[in-house]
Amino acid sequence: MSLIGQPLPRVDGPDKVTGRAHYAADFPADRMAHAAVVQSTIARGRITGFDLAEAEQVPGVLAILTHRNAPRLGKIPEIPPVDPVGTPEHPLQDDLVLHQNQHIAVVVAETLEQARWAASRVRVSYAPEPAVIDMQATLRHARPASKDEISAKPGNVGRGDADATLASAAVTVDSLSVMERENQNPIELHATTAQWDSDGERLTVWDKTQWVQSCAKHLGAAFNIPPERVHVIDPFIGGAFGSSLRVWPHTYIAAMAAKVVGRPVKLVLSRREYYGGTGARPWTQQRVRLGADRDGSLQAIRHEVTAENSRYEIYTENVLKATPILYRCRNVDLPYRVALRDVNSPNAMRGPGLATGVYALELAMDELAVALKMDPLALRLRNIPERDQMKDLPFSSISLEQCLTEAASRFGWDRRNHQPGSMRDGRLQLGWGMAVSNYPAEKVKATARARVTAKGEVHVATASSDMGPGTWTSVTQVAADTLDLAMEQVKLSIGDSALPMAPVHGGSMTISSIGPAVRDACEKLRGAVYGAAGVNTGDILEIARRIGRDFEAEGAFDPGDLEERFSMEGFGAVFAEVTVDPDTSEIRVRRITGAYGIGKVVNPLLARSQCIGGMMGGIGMALLEQTEIDRRSGRFVNGNLAEYLVPTMADTPALDVTFVPEEDRNVGGLGTKGLGEIALVGVAPAIANAVFHATGKRLRHLPMTPDRLAMA
Amino acid sequence: MNTQDSHTAPAPGVTLLVNGTRHHLAIGPEVTLLDALRERLNLTGAKKGCDLGQCGACTVILDGKRVNSCLVLAARAQDRPITTIEGLAADGRLHPLQQAFITHDAFQCGYCTPGQIMSGVALIEEGRGHDEAEIRKHMSGNLCRCGAYANIIAAIREAAART
Ligand code: FES
Ligand code: FES
């Protein structure tokens, strides 16, 4: 029986439940020194001086680095698809302050306590400049994103004539919505341990990163050494959700500090420091205008987004990716605008772009259903696309209709009274809402290596990572399945830049890219072993033992021209039930049902975990999460885990996950489409639409906090 | 002060009794229990997620009670029995809750997991592991950003039923 598709427990489970799994801050080193950063306390301006006298007096202090004495860094490269356009922060290189909580100095000391105490004693003087933080003020200067800034992402380019069609459409809606800035807030703090060789030519870094090899390239460029001399290690990532895609300033700072003191240095950003030290899902405002016939057939969509950005980089994302393909529609307009303010650059968070864009689109679709007096489910079914009208390509497969009907029937949607405010449970208002989910089935080049030793051990390696989806397990499954072995017989290595090339661990493309590379390596390995033995069947472990030598094979995956032949997309449908307390405006999610068509499911146990995790993330996005930035000072008002609210166990509703069978022979590789992002994308709009159904009030602002609902 | 006294007086520092082993650490009163475990004893199973008592990743059992070790000064834990995730599996055999976490896939990234398990073990000891409402309420100090809560509830119920 094939191991692919089996609900196997995680191979790294025993390490994770015993504390043996080592994350970036868990690696010991001899003579470890500890670093603590000093962050800016203004949003914009120049540093005019440091008073280090008191900090230098703290026992155990080994070095204090500022832009005045820190090693000079080379130019930090821009590596697609992760890095935004512009000039990334080059930490401790000049006196410029670009945002609040920017690292402007680092203290290295014998102990963590000494480093943190001394860092708190560093006095900084500034020449502040006026900063614009307030989004309303920022919006006045919003401008279209340029072609370079958008690069390959959808935006600005549409089709047909949306404006003219909207003007003459039988039914139209005009839906404005706002989403606050959100932080990924993985529970693992961002951490880097850096160690230079005695000759200062080789750097080893234990870093919280979703892309070990990109991290090696960035550090190599910054420190003027070839990337092969930078060894980045991160076998376990304590969650990231996008926060570890980029190489953040503190990683360079840890390496600089290690260089200066000539010892390994560990730098862990505190939870407070994290908000300014990394990125966040951008604040966005969206306006979606829809035009339809009386029977619900969509005729025009105009979806405009304005997204916050910093002044030093422009980060754009796939906000407008789903809009032109999710529904059959001839006329689509997709303006993408950016609004610059004096904050740290935003970056990708789980379901980047699509989580934002699908929220606004699905809110507008719900409004259209109301305007048409139509079942929102029927409206979706009416507009199922036959092909990708944006790329003008057939879908490799599309199960949107099956997802909608399957999820609707599991949820019991046919019992819904479509009249808003019509359903109750005692004194609570009850609401049922639904939305579509979508994420592109991305896949890129990847490589892997497989080896069987003379002792009969199998080792498989690729430089990918595992931030939680289960790469350790799913890749082991692929290898064991290909080689006809038991799971325990395969030893996997990942999370190490010295291993065979693998793409960024993000964008739901890990298993679709490295899965087929591993399979290829294993097939070639078996071919090599059989070839040497002159057989074409048998146990490769036994044969290798008998021949008495090691065999090794390299495998690769290249999607080739797949992208030109098919539009490859995962689709899903999400239904949610909420209750609203009419007195307190408290919204609670009672249950969520999600159905997904995502090609082959390698491990249903782990896949379900990803989906329930995505649902919890969606609940946070819908009801709780917002990074509040003081509009005068630019400070993070709620920069900690008690005030930046994330869902807890008490917030967990009944979660129902199902995968519709989808055999996709066109999508390449293992037939997988990826799951991490699509699991989150449709959740918040389903909840938002349920809130409308419960109350008859259209709340256009995420998160839907009680105060916002009370004032709606 | 006579010489004899200075010989018998405790050496400066803190003595910690972790997983049945006594450790003397030459640390000052400012060091938290979490940092003592992680940075001095290399017991990195207890995780730091906030250092502010907000996430529960650092949960250990002190004197039979679960505590956020980032909020306890090591000096206050002197000579009191401490159990960390490293000390839970007796003779290499997983604790029933550790096994249940694997069976129910009660984690993804695994970073909150040591804290969840220590908290869950104490919760079961508190007699609160059988009732879902109790579990939800009394485990909500342990954040899981991967959102594995539904599976954690299932794991705790199963382990509670066995103990
Ligand atoms: S690290 Fe102690 S509660 Fe978060
Ligand atoms: S498993 Fe990742 S935070 Fe809980």
Side-chain angles (χ1 to χ4, degrees):
Chain A
M1 190 178 58
S2 173
L3 289 171
I4 309 287
Q6 299 301 317
L8 303 175
R10 285 173 203 261
V11 298
D12 49 340
D15 284 339
K16 284 179 172 172
V17 301
T18 54
R20 285 198 304 262
H22 281 178
Y23 300 79
D26 298 343
F27 289 88
D30 281 344
R31 299 179 66 238
M32 182 90 84
H34 295 265
V37 293
V38 178
Q39 293 190 318
S40 64
T41 54
I42 62 167
R44 187 172 181 211
R46 286 183 183 275
I47 300 162
T48 53
F50 290 96
D51 177 355
L52 305 178
E54 208 185 325
E56 280 164 346
Q57 297 297 308
V58 174
V61 168
L62 301 169
I64 303 177
L65 304 185
T66 71
H67 70 272
R68 303 217 163 124
N69 63 346
R72 296 299 93 188
L73 294 178
K75 186 170 159 18
I76 294 172
E78 210 173 90
I79 300 182
V82 165
D83 291 329
V85 177
T87 309
E89 277 181 56
H90 285 60
L92 314 189
Q93 300 299 293
D94 57 38
D95 60 352
L96 275 178
V97 176
L98 302 168
H99 61 85
Q100 278 280 8
N101 294 73
Q102 172 185 323
H103 312 318
I104 53 173
V106 63
V107 177
V108 193
E110 294 287 348
T111 71
L112 177 59
E113 293 76 19
Q114 291 163 340
R116 294 210 79 89
W117 176 246
S120 75
R121 303 290 93 196
V122 170
R123 301 275 169 259
V124 187
S125 45
Y126 302 96
E129 284 159 31
V132 180
I133 308 289
D134 179 47
M135 269 323 302
Q136 294 315 315
T138 304
L139 284 177
R140 286 198 282 278
H141 305 282
R143 61 161 176 83
S146 72
K147 230 175 149 185
D148 276 358
E149 290 162 352
I150 296 244
S151 82
K153 296 175 211 81
N156 295 344
V157 180
R159 60 178 180 260
D161 189 342
D163 282 346
T165 315
L166 281 167
S168 62
V171 182
T172 58
V173 296
D174 189 342
S175 171
L176 191 73
S177 59
V178 168
M179 234 180 89
E180 294 292 328
R181 175 183 264 233
E182 275 189 289
N183 269 85
Q184 296 91 348
N185 271 312
I187 303 300
E188 183 192 14
L189 294 170
H190 281 258
T192 307
T193 302
Q195 177 167 24
W196 290 88
D197 274 16
S198 51
D199 56 5
E201 289 292 318
R202 271 173 195 279
L203 173 62
T204 304
V205 166
W206 292 264
D207 189 46
K208 177 177 172 62
T209 172
Q210 290 169 254
W211 199 3
V212 283
Q213 290 175 331
S214 167
C215 185
K217 283 183 199 158
H218 279 87
L219 287 166
F223 290 93
N224 292 311
I225 53 173
E228 309 81 68
R229 292 211 213 129
V230 184
H231 190 186
V232 181
I233 301 164
D234 193 22
F236 293 99
I237 307 171
F241 318 104
S243 77
S244 300
L245 294 166
R246 294 192 69 181
V247 183
W248 299 111
H250 68 269
T251 297
Y252 303 99
I253 292 176
M256 282 193 254
K259 188 154 211 172
V260 169
V261 301
R263 289 168 57 172
V265 167
K266 186 194 290 197
L267 171 54
V268 182
L269 291 189
S270 74
R271 184 58 60 180
R272 286 191 177 108
E273 288 159 357
Y274 150 81
Y275 290 84
T278 66
R281 194 200 296 283
W283 182 102
T284 47
Q285 175 176 287
Q286 299 179 79
R287 184 178 177 197
V288 179
R289 296 172 65 200
L290 303 176
D293 294 344
R294 294 237 166 260
D295 69 355
S297 304
L298 273 174
Q299 296 303 334
I301 308 175
R302 188 177 193 280
H303 185 169
E304 179 185 89
V305 61
T306 307
E308 73 160 317
N309 259 289
S310 72
R311 275 188 215 289
Y312 54 97
E313 286 170 322
I314 299 295
Y315 165 75
T316 59
E317 56 183 9
N318 273 332
V319 181
L320 305 173
K321 170 80 183 68
T323 306
I325 67 158
L326 211 39
Y327 300 113
R328 187 180 351 98
C329 184
R330 271 199 296 274
N331 304 288
V332 179
D333 198 7
L334 303 168
Y336 199 127
R337 297 163 60 78
V338 289
L340 279 43
R341 59 172 177 163
D342 294 292
V343 293
N344 55 327
S345 298
N347 80 313
M349 177 165 165
R350 192 171 189 179
L354 282 100
T356 306
V358 169
Y359 158 65
L361 179 65
E362 289 297 272
L363 203 67
M365 284 296 280
D366 202 61
E367 291 180 67
L368 182 61
V370 172
L372 288 162
K373 298 196 171 41
M374 202 171 166
D375 175 356
L377 171 63
L379 177 63
R380 271 43 171 227
L381 290 169
R382 162 94 56 202
N383 289 288
I384 300 254
E386 287 92 39
R387 58 194 272 116
D388 181 331
Q389 285 174 287
M390 202 63 207
K391 292 181 181 156
D392 195 22
L393 287 173
F395 290 113
S396 63
S397 65
I398 172 168
S399 309
L400 179 53
E401 189 173 338
Q402 293 89 318
C403 290
L404 284 163
T405 50
E406 174 70 15
S409 101
R410 291 173 80 104
F411 188 83
W413 185 254
D414 57 354
R415 297 195 306 275
R416 184 185 195 248
N417 181 337
H418 297 308
Q419 186 62 37
S422 63
M423 292 170 72
R424 293 204 153 241
D425 179 0
R427 52 181 288 280
L428 299 176
Q429 297 169 301
L430 200 64
W432 289 5
M434 54 86 55
V436 163
S437 192
N438 163 236
Y439 201 80
E442 284 173 11
K443 49 177 63 68
V444 295
K445 286 186 188 172
T447 64
R449 186 172 57 230
R451 173 190 297 154
V452 55
T453 67
K455 285 194 203 138
E457 290 164 350
V458 172
H459 298 272
V460 173
T462 173
S464 192
S465 298
D466 191 347
M467 60 177 155
T471 315
W472 280 106
T473 308
S474 54
V475 171
T476 304
Q477 271 175 278
V478 172
D481 181 66
T482 312
L483 294 172
D484 247 331
L485 298 172
M487 292 289 280
E488 310 74 60
Q489 291 176 294
V490 175
K491 297 277 165 279
L492 179 68
S493 301
I494 58 172
D496 184 322
S497 63
L499 300 175
M501 184 280 287
V504 59
H505 174 48
S508 297
M509 61 177 153
T510 298
I511 195 65
S512 298
S513 306
I514 64 166
V518 165
R519 188 174 62 181
D520 185 47
C522 291
E523 281 170 352
K524 286 183 174 143
L525 177 68
R526 188 180 46 206
V529 174
Y530 285 179
V535 298
N536 50 29
T537 178
D539 179 351
I540 66 157
L541 305 188
E542 216 168 276
I543 301 173
R545 268 194 297 257
R546 203 174 58 228
I547 295 179
R549 71 171 174 90
D550 295 4
F551 292 86
E552 189 176 286
E554 307 274 329
F557 172 68
D558 182 348
D561 66 350
L562 273 176
E563 287 259 3
E564 282 132 57
R565 295 192 287 131
F566 296 102
S567 170
M568 296 172 285
E569 300 281 337
F571 294 94
V574 185
F575 290 70
E577 174 176 318
V578 303
T579 59
V580 177
D581 185 319
D583 298 327
T584 63
S585 294
E586 184 191 24
I587 303 166
R588 305 285 299 174
V589 179
R590 276 207 178 159
R591 62 190 177 108
I592 301 177
T593 292
Y596 309 91
I598 44 120
K600 188 169 291 281
V601 177
V602 174
N603 184 324
L605 176 68
L606 276 53
R608 179 179 177 275
S609 292
Q610 262 191 296
C611 288
I612 65 171
M615 287 171 173
M616 294 311 294
I619 291 171
M621 176 176 163
L623 302 179
L624 304 169
E625 296 186 37
Q626 54 182 334
T627 308
E628 294 177 60
I629 302 180
D630 179 74
R631 70 170 79 114
R632 291 150 306 170
S633 68
R635 296 228 181 142
F636 297 99
V637 178
N638 61 344
N640 61 75
L641 282 174
E643 292 168 281
Y644 181 103
L645 302 181
V646 300
T648 68
M649 191 179 279
D651 299 312
T652 308
L655 301 172
D656 173 37
V657 175
T658 187
F659 302 104
V660 304
E662 192 177 78
E663 187 91 21
D664 188 333
R665 297 184 188 286
N666 302 319
V667 79
L670 305 174
T672 58
K673 286 183 170 179
L675 183 56
E677 328 292 330
I678 196 172
L680 178 132
V681 169
V683 179
I687 295 170
N689 293 337
V691 170
F692 173 79
H693 182 242
T695 61
K697 288 197 215 170
R698 185 64 70 180
L699 202 45
R700 304 171 180 284
H701 199 147
L702 293 191
M704 296 179 286
T705 50
D707 56 314
R708 287 193 181 118
L709 181 59
M711 302 209 312
Chain B
M1 168 168 87
N2 74 40
T3 345
Q4 202 157 359
D5 265 7
S6 76
H7 275 296
T8 53
V14 175
T15 303
L16 293 179
L17 191 54
V18 187
N19 302 328
T21 307
R22 193 173 292 276
H23 303 271
H24 186 79
L25 298 175
I27 54 174
E30 73 281 9
V31 178
T32 65
L33 177 56
L34 177 62
D35 289 330
L37 292 170
R38 290 182 53 83
E39 307 299 342
R40 272 66 173 202
L41 293 175
N42 196 25
L43 290 168
T44 53
K47 303 298 181 201
K48 191 181 279 188
C50 67
D51 219 9
L52 296 165
Q54 300 172 339
C55 76
C58 63
T59 306
V60 301
I61 297 178
L62 173 64
D63 271 343
K65 294 206 179 78
R66 45 187 172 149
V67 296
N68 288 331
S69 62
C70 71
L71 291 188
V72 176
L73 290 171
R76 300 282 302 197
Q78 164 119 319
D79 293 328
R80 298 159 66 191
I82 299 161
T83 308
T84 71
I85 191 75
E86 290 91 345
L88 202 55
D91 322 313
R93 289 221 3 243
L94 294 182
H95 182 282
L97 188 58
Q98 289 174 309
Q99 185 53 53
F101 262 61
I102 296 175
T103 309
H104 291 275
D105 205 36
F107 47 83
Q108 285 200 46
C109 77
Y111 195 82
C112 73
T113 308
Q116 301 278 5
I117 291 176
M118 297 316 287
S119 208
V121 166
L123 176 106
I124 293 170
E125 295 278 305
E126 292 156 22
R128 294 183 164 127
H130 298 282
D131 178 53
E132 178 158 342
E134 289 261 283
I135 298 172
R136 286 164 175 274
K137 187 168 162 195
H138 293 280
M139 286 297 292
S140 275
N142 287 82
L143 300 178
C144 175
R145 193 58 166 150
C146 298
Y149 300 123
N151 294 353
I152 297 172
I153 295 171
I156 290 176
R157 294 188 72 156
E158 187 196 297
R162 280 165 185 241
T163 45

